[in-house]
């Protein structure tokens, strides 16, 4: 396969950035999208050009580090597939592919396709934890959890914090991410002591970081590689209202 890439190049946060065109030849359909970028970067390095900066880590779809807007879609054209698990057989010989970083005000572009997602870390620091004492791990069944709650908590816990929900939302909202983290802990007995403060503090931090409000468009859940459902945002809103009522 021969591919034409139009890639966002930006030297640093102060640079205005622009799209730059590259030709990539002899691309195997079995390559992942990131492996194709690796090949392009090898060629750029050999020719003395600056390789394209992009994030990756596990390359198994579980760490949340990778994240590119490919032809206008967060993580590309495949549903529930991260960029690192997207293969070139999803495209056709001769395709022209646009590659851009996440676009959201709180996600500052550091270089090329890398953005600063530290805002997510600060939201977690604001309340995404429990105050269980550390020490020897308790027996697995020491705190019984109804299976329906355990299953729902596990589904919420599959959020990998990649930021695709923010990149896909026209309003740059982080509500799906916050809702997943609040729901995960709020459904478990260990998460009850901070349930009210957690919802208020994480939403307040998201607002402070500059994320937009949720307008229930649903692009977030369509782009989520882990299938986090939009009804978790309704659950988040109920927790926030309950916390406000409890606080009086």
């Amino acid at each position: 396969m021969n591919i034409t890439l139009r890639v966002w190049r930006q030297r640093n946060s102060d640079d205005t950035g622009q799209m730059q065109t590259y030709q990539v030849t002899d691309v195997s359909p079995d390559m992942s999208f990131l492996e194709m970028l690796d090949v392009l970067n090898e060629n750029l390095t050999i020719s003395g050009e600056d390789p394209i900066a992009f994030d990756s880590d596990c390359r198994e779809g579980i760490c949340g580090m990778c994240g590119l807007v490919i032809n206008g879609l967060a993580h590309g054209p495949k549903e529930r597939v991260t960029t690192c698990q997207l293969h070139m057989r999803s495209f056709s010989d001769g395709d022209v592919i646009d590659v851009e970083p996440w676009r959201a005000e709180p996600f500052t572009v550091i270089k090329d396709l890398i953005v600063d997602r530290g805002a997510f870390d600060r939201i977690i620091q604001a309340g995404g934890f429990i105050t269980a004492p550390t020490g020897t791990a308790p027996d697995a069944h020491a705190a019984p959890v109804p299976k329906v709650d355990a299953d729902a908590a596990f589904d919420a816990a599959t959020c990998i914090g990649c930021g695709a929900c923010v990149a896909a939302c026209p309003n740059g909202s982080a509500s799906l991410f916050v809702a997943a983290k609040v729901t995960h802990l709020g459904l478990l007995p260990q998460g009850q002591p901070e349930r009210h403060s957690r919802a208020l503090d994480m939403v307040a931090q998201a607002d402070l970081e500059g994320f937009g409000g949720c307008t229930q468009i649903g692009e977030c859940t369509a782009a989520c590689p882990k299938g986090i459902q939009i009804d978790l945002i309704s659950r988040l809103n109920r927790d926030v209202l309950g916390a406000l009522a409890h606080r009086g």
Side-chain angles (χ1 to χ4, degrees):
M1 298 171 61
N2 295 320
I3 299 294
T4 300
L5 288 181
R6 297 193 301 189
V7 184
W8 184 259
R9 301 303 308 264
Q10 186 171 335
R11 288 175 294 180
N12 51 52
S13 300
D14 297 325
D15 187 20
T16 55
Q18 62 181 352
M19 299 295 278
Q20 194 162 332
T21 301
Y22 301 95
Q23 304 295 328
V24 189
T25 58
D26 298 327
V27 175
S28 167
D30 296 326
M31 281 183 180
S32 73
F33 199 86
L34 297 186
E35 288 170 339
M36 182 273 296
L37 289 178
D38 289 338
V39 171
L40 172 59
N41 273 347
E42 285 183 13
N43 294 333
L44 291 175
T45 301
I46 291 171
S47 63
E49 296 182 60
D50 191 23
I52 298 164
F54 63 90
D55 267 329
S56 69
D57 192 359
C58 72
R59 300 202 177 199
E60 295 179 349
I62 55 177
C63 77
M65 277 298 290
C66 68
L68 303 174
V69 175
I70 302 170
N71 286 340
L73 299 172
H75 286 302
K78 291 288 189 180
E79 290 185 2
R80 300 195 180 187
V81 173
T82 55
T83 300
C84 66
Q85 293 288 287
L86 178 67
H87 288 84
M88 295 309 297
R89 54 180 172 268
S90 303
F91 303 92
S92 300
D93 183 35
D95 271 359
V96 178
I97 305 173
D98 289 344
V99 189
E100 299 172 84
W102 286 166
R103 301 287 190 186
E105 185 175 341
F107 291 163
T108 305
V109 174
I110 298 174
K111 183 177 181 181
D112 296 336
L113 304 173
I114 296 178
V115 300
D116 180 3
R117 284 174 282 187
F120 271 13
D121 296 332
R122 292 186 288 274
I123 291 173
I124 292 294
Q125 290 167 359
F129 52 81
I130 62 172
T131 54
T134 58
T136 305
D139 292 338
H141 301 295
V145 181
K147 187 174 187 310
V148 63
D149 289 345
D151 289 347
F154 181 83
D155 289 343
T158 59
C159 169
I160 56 176
C162 63
C165 51
V166 176
C169 177
N171 206 29
S173 173
S175 292
L176 194 66
F177 167 76
V178 177
K181 301 307 177 186
V182 166
T183 298
H184 166 210
L185 296 177
L187 284 170
L188 299 175
Q190 297 91 337
Q192 296 310 305
E194 301 87 9
R195 181 172 176 178
H196 291 146
S197 61
R198 177 183 304 115
L200 293 177
D201 291 345
M202 293 182 75
V203 168
Q205 187 64 38
D207 291 342
L208 186 64
E209 297 289 348
F211 292 105
C214 175
T215 51
Q216 296 285 314
I217 293 175
E219 289 293 329
C220 54
T221 192
C224 176
K226 298 302 175 183
I228 304 296
Q229 296 299 302
I230 199 169
D231 62 330
L232 266 59
I233 297 178
S234 299
R235 183 181 179 84
L236 168 65
N237 292 336
R238 289 198 299 272
D239 272 11
V240 169
L241 290 174
L244 292 172
H246 180 78
R247 189 171 65 179

